[in-house]
Amino acid sequence: MRILFTSLASYGHVYPLLPLAVAARDAGHEVVYATASEFHPTLEKAGLEPAAAGLTMQEAFGRLFAGDTRSRKEIPEGELNEAIGKAFGRLLPTQFMTDLAPVLAERKPDLVVYEMGNPGGAFAAGQAGIPAVGHGFGRVSSGGPMDRISEQIDAFAAEAGLTGSSRLFWGHPFVDICPPSVQAPEFVAGARRVPLRPVGWSEPGDLPSGIEGRDRGRPLVYLTLGTTPASQAHLLTSALQGLASLDADVLVATGPAVDVAALGEVPSNVRLEAWVPQSELLPHVDLVVHHGGSGTTLGAFGAAVPQLVLPQGADQFTNADAVVGAGAGAKLLGDELTADAVRETAGQLLADGAVADAVRELAAEVAAMPSPEEVAAQLPQYCSGRGS
């Protein structure tokens, strides 16, 4: 069977699809993965054949704000949300739809698996008459800019001939990597969910020295604010200062958007790393402090790690709500995010037996979900007899 996977070009959108794409390839299917060329080296490291399609998010917003010299903080929230809606609901889908048409015509896949942030994959498949399956990257969220995106996508979908709502992915089967207990209840009730265990994906690499075999009597706290430009140094500094005063070791993944020099001197119990293989690291961690990205949130669920969430935008706020609602951690918002609050809240989470019980229950729920290999074996049934 020939399968084309497609997603937006960012770590949080590419990585969640890789376990199923690799499992499908290993099962003997011919797999092509279409996204912007910036992520082609990542796909090649995973042993997947890349195809060029779409724009990066930076390119999309560069077009929307061409010639605008304002910083992100200077753009009014309403204007920014409108731009986000246009970028994800119209500009990116249009470009992917255009670029995927010749790829689909040449490759003639039996099935398209499109990431939920990339509806252009669904539109292109629909126009080509190819069966499609959606694939999530986390919890299905609403509110704020997410509603603007949905409005734009629904209008575009109607033009492309798809009926129904983007909230339920037009009735397509949907590979859902979010544990149902923390997924949006209305989505669980209405969607054609295909459960898939959230298997973390990291590019090959070694854990920082001393992590494996360390003394588990002293807590290890992992701090990350992700890979996007929202990961600003001042936020990382506040969180770092609070965690450094704990009787714990602190490992900070600074990511590509932060100048490590801007963080200045750090205490002896703090370690800075530009990059870590997060999926391999999480089982060694006692607490993760993060921005609320879906990959980190789901990874912590699977590794039974409490979470302190410091959301900054997009779906991070609803992810934080899900963590708190499940009893698996806490959140700090806006002016609450001070070094003192981080220290106090992190200390409480490390000592809270009820939180420890909650994260173990979530990890058991994740472990019971079907593996990528099991879901890959189901994919042929969604091809409507188009061949193998």
Side-chain angles (χ1 to χ4, degrees), residues 222-272:
Y222 170 50
L223 170 61
T224 175
L225 293 180
T227 58
T228 67
S231 307
Q232 299 296 330
H234 69 280
L235 297 173
L236 204 63
T237 298
S238 294
L240 191 157
Q241 288 174 345
L243 297 174
S245 59
L246 294 170
D247 183 19
D249 294 317
V250 181
L251 176 61
V252 184
T254 59
V258 172
D259 178 7
V260 174
L263 299 176
E265 293 273 341
V266 297
S268 60
N269 65 328
V270 174
R271 182 172 180 177
L272 304 179

Side-chain angles (χ1 to χ4, degrees), residues 92-369:
L92 284 162
T94 297
Q95 190 66 56
F96 268 94
M97 192 176 178
T98 299
D99 293 346
L100 285 172
V103 177
L104 296 179
E106 177 186 354
R107 299 290 185 149
K108 297 180 172 56
D110 303 293
L111 182 69
V112 170
V113 180
Y114 66 94
E115 176 251 321
M116 70 180 188
N118 186 23
F123 302 160
Q127 286 204 333
I130 300 170
V133 171
H135 192 306
F137 59 75
R139 195 173 189 274
V140 177
S141 300
S142 60
M146 309 305 293
D147 289 341
R148 298 290 183 91
I149 294 171
S150 294
E151 291 168 5
Q152 293 272 354
I153 290 173
D154 284 340
F156 197 166
E159 296 169 18
L162 291 181
T163 58
S165 168
S166 60
R167 300 282 191 194
L168 297 176
F169 300 92
W170 308 285
H172 292 153
F174 184 87
V175 177
D176 189 4
I177 65 173
C178 185
S181 70
V182 289
Q183 180 59 280
E186 63 276 12
F187 181 74
V188 173
R192 293 176 61 190
R193 295 178 60 254
V194 181
L196 169 64
R197 187 184 311 150
V199 177
W201 184 273
S202 298
E203 291 194 15
D206 296 328
L207 287 169
S209 62
I211 297 298
E212 294 182 292
R214 71 178 185 84
D215 178 9
R216 293 302 295 257
R218 181 174 169 84
L220 175 62
V221 180
Y222 170 50
L223 170 61
T224 175
L225 293 180
T227 58
T228 67
S231 307
Q232 299 296 330
H234 69 280
L235 297 173
L236 204 63
T237 298
S238 294
L240 191 157
Q241 288 174 345
L243 297 174
S245 59
L246 294 170
D247 183 19
D249 294 317
V250 181
L251 176 61
V252 184
T254 59
V258 172
D259 178 7
V260 174
L263 299 176
E265 293 273 341
V266 297
S268 60
N269 65 328
V270 174
R271 182 172 180 177
L272 304 179
E273 297 283 348
W275 174 89
V276 296
Q278 181 169 282
S279 61
E280 297 176 34
L281 173 67
L282 285 172
H284 300 277
V285 168
D286 299 290
L287 173 68
V288 58
V289 181
H290 67 106
H291 59 306
S294 291
T296 307
T297 302
L298 294 180
F301 286 159
V305 181
Q307 305 180 51
L308 172 54
V309 188
L310 316 173
Q312 301 301 309
D315 60 345
Q316 297 167 13
F317 293 100
T318 54
N319 287 340
D321 290 341
V323 169
V324 174
K331 65 180 179 179
L332 293 173
L333 303 176
D335 293 340
E336 297 174 345
L337 207 174
T338 65
D340 288 343
V342 169
R343 180 188 67 250
E344 180 179 351
T345 308
Q348 291 170 349
L349 290 173
L350 286 167
D352 194 324
V355 171
D357 290 340
V359 298
R360 281 194 290 267
E361 289 180 12
L362 267 171
E365 182 181 359
V366 169
M369 296 171 73

Side-chain angles (χ1 to χ4, degrees), residues 37-48:
S37 58
E38 179 180 328
F39 274 83
H40 287 188
T42 298
L43 298 174
E44 290 167 349
K45 289 177 184 176
L48 298 170

